[in-house]
């Protein structure tokens, strides 16, 4: 009798979980249109797969930088007095007691530059830049950090291929999370 | 029947008028007595949103600006006056990176689930409220809480509000993120989700899918009511035990993806540069931490005799298993009583009976969590990080995830001071 009950329960459980995996259970929410998703999806992967069409060079971007960025970040981008603001320089400072963290000295991926300018900049006027302008400004910052040449064209293809100088400065090499991992005293992790 | 209606109405009208007269008469008749005043006040309170008495003035304080954090816009929770484990919503710490709090109409708000899913879905707030929900008690904490003492500039950290005020604990209510992800159907190859808010810079955070399917809450409620605007109204993530960065407020989008996207804050501010120039990224869970809130810096012990020591312990590792207290400068340690029921990833109140002999001493606490992780002393912490105190005092490197024991010195006069200063 007991055995019988258990097997019924087991069958019911299996049936339940199979249904769960196949389709929605609660039938709430609606399907968004492709246009809605496109309008909201501003996340750019290190692979660059979401990057839109467009292009720009540091030469083309210099003027845009002067007009829209220099007010807060300084004429060259190396003037910032705290690390959020400073965009250029800091090479060779990471192992000192005053590391200067900029996208040139620290950031592992160039795609983050495009993502953040497009997502958030200029402050209070986010979303006002065209894709071409964002590519051009990304090129300006890469050029001023000595990573590309002034006339290098930055677009959806070339941007993810750029090797950032500090790409290998991070540990663990691949960030992973394992639930319940115990850590040593004071080492987090 | 129809002809009766006007009569009935007139009767009701008159009746109301009579009742009104009667109430008016009563009011004027007893207005001179204290009793009627009390009745009137009580009626007023009952129909409004409650306020505390004017005798209670405990408040949040802004964190003193430092060159490094002048834009952080941080308000600190007054832990020194806390009782129990719940932080009143009005006193919850705030860290918005100084970006203005958006005002969002919940009727217009939508949350989008898309990416590596079988079905992209958009939910209104009303639709979310139809789904299975949970309420759980969890702490939130800024990754650099309790480090400003060692930052070397800004206001001296004299009180526990200064040292540890960037943590609070609430009961959070909402839909498990796993419910939304299962509705959308997570595809093979998915390993992370990107959560995005509607603040000025549209803060986005990469979160391991395994955590998202485990215990993250898409929360609309805090301490029995809607979220406060500064806490993400109308919708936020609560990611139990993880650093503040993962608690995405004003949530509008969840994208299921194959890898971390290296958004701004996880690329810069919340990566820990080490002395050798390498940097640790993706810290996830906060370490075990405890602090005595009473007596704590700036308070007074009113003379020798009995005094109940109390404080809070919490850990990103889960539940707090043990809290020990030392009242003799760390020579001996005894178990404190822990308040039950125990909540995982929550502030845990502890109590310790103490009879002060009137001599100068140092009181401190240390905790152990369910993983067996123990809170270290400052010396032990620095040793395992491979640096000396001077490094933390002079460096501009991030000193986050500091969880050293906090000692308070009690002087012979009964005043309490931060013994690390």
């Amino acid at each position: 009798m007991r055995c019988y009950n258990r097997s019924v329960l087991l069958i019911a459980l299996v049936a339940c979980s199979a249904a769960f995996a196949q389709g929605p259970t609660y039938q709430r929410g609606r399907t968004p249109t492709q246009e809605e998703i496109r309008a909201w999806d501003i996340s750019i992967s290190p692979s660059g797969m979401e990057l839109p069409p467009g292009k720009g060079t540091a030469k083309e971007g210099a003027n845009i930088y002067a007009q829209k960025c220099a007010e807060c970040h300084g004429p060259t981008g190396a003037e910032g007095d705290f690390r959020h603001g400073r965009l250029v320089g800091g090479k060779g400072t990471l192992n000192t007691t005053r590391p200067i963290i900029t996208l040139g000295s620290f950031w592992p991926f160039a795609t983050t530059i495009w993502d953040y300018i497009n997502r958030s900049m200029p402050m209070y006027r986010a979303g006002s830049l065209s894709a071409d302008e964002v590519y051009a400004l990304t090129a300006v910052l890469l050029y001023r950090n000595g990573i590309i040449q002034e006339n290098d064209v930055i677009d959806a293809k070339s941007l993810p291929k750029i090797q950032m100088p500090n790409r290998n400065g991070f540990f663990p090499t691949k960030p992973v999370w394992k639930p319940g991992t115990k850590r040593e005293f004071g080492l987090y992790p | 029947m129809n002809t009766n209606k006007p009569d009935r109405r007139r009767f009701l009208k008159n009746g109301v008028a009579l009742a009104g007269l009667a109430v008016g008469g009563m009011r004027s008749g007893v207005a001179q007595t204290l009793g009627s005043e009390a009745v009137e006040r009580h009626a007023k309170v009952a129909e409004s949103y409650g306020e505390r008495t004017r005798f209670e003035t405990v408040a949040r304080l802004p964190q003193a600006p430092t060159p490094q954090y002048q834009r952080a816009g941080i308000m600190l929770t007054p832990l020194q006056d806390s009782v129990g484990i719940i932080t009143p919503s009005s006193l919850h710490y705030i860290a918005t990176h100084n970006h203005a709090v958006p005002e969002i109409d919940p009727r217009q708000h939508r949350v989008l689930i898309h990416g590596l899913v079988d079905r992209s879905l958009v939910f209104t707030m009303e639709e979310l409220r139809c789904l299975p929900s949970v309420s759980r008690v969890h702490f939130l904490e800024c990754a650099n809480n309790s480090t400003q003492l060692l930052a070397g500039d800004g206001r001296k950290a004299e009180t526990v509000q200064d040292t540890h005020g960037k943590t609070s604990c609430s009961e959070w209510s909402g839909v498990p993120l796993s419910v939304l992800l299962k509705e959308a159907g997570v595809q093979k190859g998915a390993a992370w989700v990107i959560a995005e808010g509607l603040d000025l810079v549209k803060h986005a955070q990469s979160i391991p899918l395994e955590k998202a399917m485990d215990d993250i809450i898409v929360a609309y409620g805090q301490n029995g009511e809607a979220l406060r605007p500064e806490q993400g109204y109308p919708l936020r993530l609560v990611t139990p035990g993880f650093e503040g960065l993962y608690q995405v407020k004003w949530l509008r989008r969840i994208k299921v993806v194959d890898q971390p996207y290296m958004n701004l804050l996880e690329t810069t501010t919340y990566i820990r540069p080490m002395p050798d120039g390498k940097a640790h990224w993706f810290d996830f869970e906060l370490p075990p931490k405890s602090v005595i809130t009473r007596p704590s810096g700036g308070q007074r012990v009113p003379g020798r005799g009995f005094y109940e020591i109390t404080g809070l312990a919490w850990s990103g590792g889960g539940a707090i298993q043990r809290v020990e207290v030392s009242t003799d400068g760390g020579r001996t340690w005894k178990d404190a009583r822990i308040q039950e029921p125990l909540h995982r990833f929550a502030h845990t109140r502890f109590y310790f009976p103490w009879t002060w002999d009137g001599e100068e001493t140092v009181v401190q606490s240390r905790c152990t969590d369910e993983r067996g992780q123990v809170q270290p002393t400052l010396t032990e912490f620095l040793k395992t990080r491979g640096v000396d105190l001077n490094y933390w005092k002079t460096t501009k490197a991030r000193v986050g995830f500091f969880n050293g024991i906090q000692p308070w010195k009690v002087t012979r006069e009964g005043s309490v001071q931060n013994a690390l200063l």
Side-chain angles (χ1 to χ4, degrees), chain B residues 47 105-106 134 137 151 162 178 180-181 231 239 249 265-266 287 301 311 314 320 326 331 341 372 395:
Chain B
E47 65 188 346
D105 181 346
V134 294
V137 177
D162 296 332
S178 62
L180 302 184
L181 291 172
Q231 293 306 321
T239 306
K249 296 186 276 191
L265 292 180
E266 63 201 30
V301 179
W314 61 95
I320 292 297
S326 168
R331 276 198 302 280
T395 185

Side-chain angles (χ1 to χ4, degrees), chain A residues 86 88-96 99-102 104-106 145-147 165-166:
Chain A
R86 185 155 176 177
V88 174
K91 219 173 168 181
T93 65
L94 294 184
N95 59 355
T96 69
I100 296 168
I101 289 173
T102 73
S105 70
F106 194 71
N145 276 291
I147 298 166
N166 194 41

Side-chain angles (χ1 to χ4, degrees), chain B residues 207 212 214:
Chain B
I207 304 171
D214 184 15

Side-chain angles (χ1 to χ4, degrees), chain B residues 98-150:
Chain B
N98 208 25
H99 300 133
V101 173
E103 191 176 53
I104 298 172
D105 181 346
R107 290 164 303 182
Q108 305 299 320
H109 192 66
R110 305 285 183 274
V111 62
L112 170 66
I113 318 284
H114 74 119
L116 295 175
V117 292
D118 294 335
R119 298 163 292 279
S120 297
L121 287 171
V122 182
F123 292 94
T124 62
M125 290 301 296
E126 200 179 27
E127 285 163 339
L128 287 176
R129 292 299 295 267
C130 297
L131 297 174
S133 60
V134 294
S135 288
R136 293 201 309 260
V137 177
H138 290 310
F139 77 85
L140 303 185
E141 185 182 19
C142 175
N144 78 351
N145 191 31
S146 73
T147 62
Q148 58 268 45
L149 161 75
L150 303 169

Side-chain angles (χ1 to χ4, degrees), chain A residues 20 25-26 30 41 43 50 97-98 107 112 119-120 168-169 171-172 177 181-183 185 188, chain B residues 122 182-183 196 201-202 253 255 259 261-262 268 272 278-279 281 285 371 373 380 394-396:
Chain A
F20 212 69
T25 309
Y26 306 107
R30 69 168 173 86
D41 187 7
S43 292
E50 298 95 340
T97 55
R98 299 261 163 185
W107 293 20
T112 307
R119 170 187 299 275
S120 314
N168 297 318
F171 70 97
W177 179 72
T181 312
K182 190 176 166 181
R183 295 165 178 177
F185 232 55
Y188 295 96
Chain B
V122 182
K182 281 174 189 165
E183 284 297 284
E196 183 179 276
V201 295
K202 297 184 207 77
R253 192 163 69 93
K255 182 176 184 177
Q259 60 181 312
Y261 269 31
M262 302 314 302
T268 55
R272 282 183 292 122
K278 292 270 182 189
W281 59 6
E285 292 120 323
R371 294 182 194 173
Q373 302 177 139
E380 285 163 339
T394 57
T395 185
K396 278 201 160 189

Side-chain angles (χ1 to χ4, degrees), chain B residues 194-209:
Chain B
I194 312 300
E196 183 179 276
L198 252 183
D199 52 292
L200 191 60
V201 295
K202 297 184 207 77
H203 167 57
Q205 177 65 34
S206 309
I207 304 171
L209 179 63

